[in-house]
């Protein structure tokens, strides 16, 4: 009898040592069954067991939804020695089309959730006052010529407090996209509800004619909401992820007209002006400083042509590097090119400084026009002669035929001075050659990279989060020689990811937060050093 009881106890111990799977329930829910096109929904999947993140297969969602990586949480409860475990996944889904969509049943170890029906309405059909976040986008024109700038203006409306967020630029294939100026932040009352409005401008410049599709700018981040469940993944921070996107836009890009002559430039208006002294009489050898400025409305500074002065042969010219820049004034883009040249006349006479002509295409009138700086006649006089008085030679007593003692001393010191001067020149030349050889061994820093580094440092010194984010993208795009988004930059290092998160909070959130700009520069320098070492190691492999 005792032996039978022992066998029973051992059998029960073996059964409890190898328990069967405890997963018995898998539930799926969404925060909203009806959304507008471009709005996101939050899908929550809950299992009553402790599971790995990879146990949930979400490939079935990819047909109708664009989704972010799920966030996973685990919890364990014990009540009266009864232990329950739970695993929860939350993910952000963005519907790909309008109509009735279905979130299919998700299965783990033979246990499935119930499917969920989703209705996606046309963009803007729901009242704006009921939406926490939405976007609007406008373009300056629905058709443009090749190389013509189109202003893409996007507005982000926030009806809830923002914890963090990233505003992504529109995606366009076959065109250049660049941000213009800084963001503007304001408030607006819409149907009795207050919205925070963030506005940003982009320039879109197409390279080839044809149809151009602009995939709307997008926004993703976290907003503060009222927590409805104590065990929610976001219950600790009272926030939920949000994503929204502006609608797509079509552009018709026209080719350069066949009857156009000269270097291609398309703009709303082009002007030439000169900042030179009003004098018309000059002297041979006296430099003339001539500054010519080319201004174009609604085009990019990189599209402005170089200026050619076509001076007469009697003049020598020493041009400085042209200064190009873009500015925004009254919602218009002003591109300027300023060329300063030092002109030195070499012969006397009357000369004509030729007119400067810049052809351009007027897209509103569909015709070629000419911006002209008129010719200028100047007179060059011979250099004034200066009367130099002849030196007065004083009579002195005839020198003695025999050299004196002091003459020998003077001659000796003269020889020693000459030998010292020759030795100094030889040593100086060797030192200069050594310095040149050292400099040649080191790589000359790229001028564009130096400008980008300076722009980043200036933005950090000004403590401007928005400008620092722009400068970081420019810096790493220049470093890696391909466009770098903020997500890609954040993936380079933990320090950089932390810095970008702080910058985004400072740029988009009303709450003030201390940002360590020194840490941002240090993280950037560490990545620069890492990139230089990587390049150096690759070169050493090529040169064994």
């Amino acid at each position: 009898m005792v032996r039978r009881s022992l066998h029973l106890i051992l059998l029960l111990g073996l059964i409890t040592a190898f328990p069967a799977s405890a997963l018995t329930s898998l539930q799926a829910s969404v925060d909203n069954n009806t959304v507008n096109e471009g709005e996101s929904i939050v899908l929550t999947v809950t299992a009553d067991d402790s599971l790995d993140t990879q146990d949930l297969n979400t490939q079935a969602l990819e047909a109708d939804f664009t989704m972010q990586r799920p966030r996973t949480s685990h919890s364990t409860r014990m009540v009266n020695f009864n232990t329950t475990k739970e695993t929860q996944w939350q993910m952000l889904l963005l519907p790909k089309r309008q109509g009735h969509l279905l979130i299919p049943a998700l299965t783990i170890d033979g246990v499935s959730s119930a499917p969920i029906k989703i209705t996606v309405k046309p963009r803007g059909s729901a009242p704006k006052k009921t939406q926490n976040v939405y976007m609007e986008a406008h373009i300056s024109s629905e058709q443009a010529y090749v190389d013509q700038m189109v202003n893409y203006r996007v507005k982000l409306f926030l009806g809830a407090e923002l914890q963090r967020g990233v505003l992504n630029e529109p995606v366009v294939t076959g065109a250049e996209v660049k941000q213009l100026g800084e963001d503007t932040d304001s408030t607006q009352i819409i149907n009795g509800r207050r919205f925070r409005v963030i506005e940003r401008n982009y320039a879109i410049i197409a390279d080839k004619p044809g149809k151009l599709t602009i995939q709307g700018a997008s926004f993703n981040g976290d907003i503060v909401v009222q927590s409805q469940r104590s065990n929610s993944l976001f219950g600790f921070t009272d926030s939920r992820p949000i994503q929204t996107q502006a609608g797509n836009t079509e552009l018709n890009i026209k080719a350069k007209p066949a009857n156009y002559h000269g270097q291609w430039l398309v703009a709303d208006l082009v002007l030439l002006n000169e900042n030179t002294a009003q004098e018309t009489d000059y002297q041979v050898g006296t430099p003339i400083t001539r500054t010519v400025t080319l201004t174009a409305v609604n085009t990019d500074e990189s599209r402005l042509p170089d200026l050619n002065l076509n001076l007469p042969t009697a003049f020598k010219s020493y041009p400085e590097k042209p200064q190009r820049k873009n500015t925004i004034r009254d919602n218009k883009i002003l591109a300027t090119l300023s060329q300063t040249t030092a002109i030195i006349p070499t012969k006397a006479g009357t000369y004509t400084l030729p007119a400067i002509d810049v052809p351009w295409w007027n897209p509103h009138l569909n015709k070629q026009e000419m911006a002209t700086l008129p010719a200028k006649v100047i007179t060059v006089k011979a250099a004034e002669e200066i009367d130099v008085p002849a030196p007065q030679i004083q009579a002195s007593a005839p020198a003695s035929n025999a050299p004196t003692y002091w003459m020998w001393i003077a001659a000796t010191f003269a020889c020693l001075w000459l030998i010292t001067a020759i030795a100094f020149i030889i040593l100086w030349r060797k030192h200069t050659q050594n310095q040149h050889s050292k400099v040649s061994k080191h790589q000359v820093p790229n001028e564009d990279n130096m400008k980008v580094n300076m722009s980043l440092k200036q933005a950090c010194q000004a403590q401007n989060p928005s400008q620092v984010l722009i400068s970081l993208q420019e810096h790493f795009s220049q470093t890696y020689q391909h466009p770098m988004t903020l997500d890609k930059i954040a993936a380079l290092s933990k320090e950089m990811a932390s810095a970008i998160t702080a910058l985004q909070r400072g740029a988009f959130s009303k709450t003030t937060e201390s940002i360590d700009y020194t840490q941002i520069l240090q993280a950037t320098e560490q990545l620069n050093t890492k990139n230089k070492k990587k390049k150096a190691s690759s070169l050493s492999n090529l040169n064994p």
Side-chain angles (χ1 to χ4, degrees):
M1 186 68 181
V2 174
R3 184 177 297 178
R4 184 177 298 177
S5 298
L6 290 174
H7 285 300
L8 183 59
I9 292 173
L10 290 174
L11 181 61
L12 291 174
L14 290 174
I15 292 174
T16 56
F18 301 98
S21 174
L23 177 62
T24 60
S25 173
L26 192 66
Q27 298 180 354
S29 62
V30 294
D31 63 335
N32 198 348
N33 294 82
T34 302
V35 294
N36 286 347
E37 184 181 13
E39 296 180 0
S40 60
I41 57 177
V42 177
L43 172 64
T44 303
V45 181
T46 305
D48 61 348
D49 192 14
S50 180
L51 303 174
D52 292 334
T53 303
Q54 295 79 11
D55 289 341
L56 181 64
N57 189 348
T58 59
Q59 290 184 354
L61 300 172
E62 297 178 357
D64 292 328
F65 301 93
T66 300
M67 61 181 180
Q68 292 184 349
R69 180 180 300 176
R71 301 181 181 182
T72 309
S73 66
H74 300 271
S75 63
T76 302
R77 296 182 181 181
M78 180 177 290
V79 179
N80 296 329
F81 299 100
N82 183 21
T83 302
T84 59
K85 297 181 179 181
E86 184 178 274
T87 304
Q88 188 176 86
W89 294 267
Q90 282 192 338
M91 64 202 78
L92 202 64
L93 303 181
L94 185 66
K96 293 182 178 179
R97 57 183 176 85
Q98 300 179 20
H100 298 288
L101 306 181
L102 183 68
I103 296 178
L106 303 175
T107 303
I108 300 178
D109 293 338
V111 180
S112 300
S113 65
I116 303 174
K117 295 181 180 180
I118 301 295
T119 301
V120 182
K121 295 184 177 181
R123 191 182 305 273
S125 59
K128 294 180 179 178
K129 65 178 181 179
T130 64
Q131 304 178 54
N132 287 324
V133 179
Y134 67 94
M135 297 181 72
E136 293 180 354
H138 306 276
I139 56 175
S140 57
S141 177
E142 294 183 353
Q143 61 179 3
Y145 286 92
V146 171
D147 285 345
Q148 181 180 353
M149 175 183 289
V150 176
N151 186 14
Y152 181 91
R153 187 173 75 257
V154 60
K155 288 184 176 181
L156 173 66
F157 294 83
L158 298 169
E161 184 179 350
L162 183 67
Q163 279 200 339
R164 69 169 189 89
V166 178
L167 184 57
N168 301 302
E169 66 182 22
V171 179
V172 189
T173 302
E176 178 185 359
V177 179
K178 61 190 302 185
Q179 183 177 338
L180 298 173
E182 298 182 357
D183 299 345
T184 60
D185 199 333
S186 61
T187 58
Q188 187 174 345
I189 304 298
I190 301 176
N191 295 329
R193 184 179 179 185
R194 182 182 298 274
F195 284 87
R196 179 186 176 192
V197 183
I198 299 175
E199 182 175 344
R200 181 179 294 180
N201 286 278
Y202 294 96
I204 299 178
I205 306 174
D207 300 328
K208 298 178 181 179
K211 292 290 184 180
L212 195 67
T213 300
I214 303 175
Q215 298 180 16
S218 61
F219 173 82
N220 59 287
D222 290 340
I223 60 173
V224 176
V225 294
Q226 197 72 21
S227 180
Q228 298 179 355
R229 293 179 55 186
S230 60
N231 63 341
S232 172
L233 174 63
F234 302 98
F236 297 101
T237 58
D238 292 327
S239 66
R240 59 154 285 186
I242 193 73
Q243 183 175 0
T244 185
Q245 184 174 12
N248 295 345
T249 307
E250 296 288 337
L251 271 180
N252 180 29
I253 305 301
K254 296 184 287 186
K256 168 186 170 182
N259 59 347
Y260 184 87
H261 299 285
Q263 184 173 344
W264 176 246
L265 174 63
V266 55
D268 291 349
L269 180 66
V270 178
L271 298 172
L272 274 170
N273 59 73
E274 180 179 4
N275 183 15
T276 310
Q278 298 298 322
E279 301 177 7
T280 56
D281 294 339
Y282 300 92
Q283 224 174 45
V284 171
T286 302
I288 306 170
T289 301
R290 190 181 191 192
T291 301
V292 179
T293 302
L294 173 64
T295 304
V297 180
N298 284 343
T299 191
D300 187 62
E301 46 90 8
S302 61
R303 265 59 181 181
L304 298 179
D306 293 331
L307 299 176
N308 189 3
L309 301 184
N310 293 322
L311 296 173
T313 56
F315 291 82
K316 292 182 179 180
S317 63
Y318 302 92
E320 298 180 2
K321 184 178 180 180
Q323 301 296 317
R324 299 172 181 264
K325 67 176 181 178
N326 284 333
T327 56
I328 300 179
R329 186 178 302 170
D330 298 331
N331 293 327
K332 294 184 180 295
I333 312 302
L334 298 183
T336 58
L337 181 149
S338 182
Q339 175 69 70
T340 299
T341 306
I343 305 171
I344 300 179
T346 59
K347 295 180 181 180
T350 300
Y351 300 96
T352 299
L353 300 181
I356 301 176
D357 296 326
V358 175
W360 61 284
W361 184 261
N362 190 328
H364 304 287
L365 301 178
N366 289 321
K367 70 173 185 177
Q368 180 172 348
E369 298 192 17
M370 191 74 68
T372 301
L373 190 65
K376 185 177 181 180
V377 178
I378 64 173
T379 301
V380 178
K381 298 180 179 179
E384 295 180 357
E385 295 183 359
I386 302 175
D387 295 331
V388 180
Q392 300 293 327
I393 301 176
Q394 296 181 355
S396 60
S400 174
N401 292 331
T404 65
Y405 173 78
W406 295 107
M407 291 177 61
W408 283 108
I409 293 177
T412 301
F413 277 106
C415 291
L416 292 174
W417 178 86
L418 183 61
I419 293 172
T420 303
I422 294 173
F424 176 80
I425 292 173
I426 294 174
L427 292 175
W428 180 80
R429 287 184 176 177
K430 288 184 177 181
H431 175 73
T432 304
Q433 291 174 356
N434 290 335
Q435 292 295 326
H436 283 299
S437 63
K438 290 180 180 179
V439 172
S440 62
K441 291 179 181 179
H442 294 81
Q443 183 180 3
V444 179
N446 183 272
E447 185 177 350
D448 293 335
N449 218 357
M450 291 175 63
K451 290 182 178 179
V452 171
N453 287 331
M454 184 58 66
S455 175
L456 177 59
K457 291 180 181 178
Q458 291 175 351
C460 288
Q461 291 174 356
Q463 298 187 357
N464 187 334
S466 299
Q467 187 59 42
V468 172
L469 290 172
I470 297 173
S471 300
L472 282 174
Q473 289 180 292
E474 293 177 351
H475 172 79
F476 286 101
S477 297
Q478 180 73 23
T479 301
Y480 291 92
Q481 295 299 309
H482 63 81
M484 292 287 289
T485 61
L486 292 176
D487 293 339
K488 294 181 180 178
I489 298 172
L492 296 177
S493 69
K494 293 182 180 179
E495 295 78 6
M496 186 56 69
S498 175
I500 289 177
T501 300
L503 287 169
Q504 290 168 346
R505 289 174 180 170
F508 291 101
S509 179
K510 286 185 177 180
T511 58
T512 59
E513 180 176 345
S514 177
I515 300 176
D516 190 350
Y517 290 94
T518 303
Q519 179 187 0
I520 297 172
L521 294 175
Q522 290 175 352
T524 303
E525 187 61 31
Q526 290 175 358
L527 290 174
N528 290 343
T529 304
K530 182 179 179 181
N531 189 44
K532 289 179 182 178
K533 290 181 178 179
K534 186 175 180 181
K535 289 183 178 180
S537 61
S538 62
L539 290 176
S540 62
N541 294 333
L542 294 175
N543 298 276

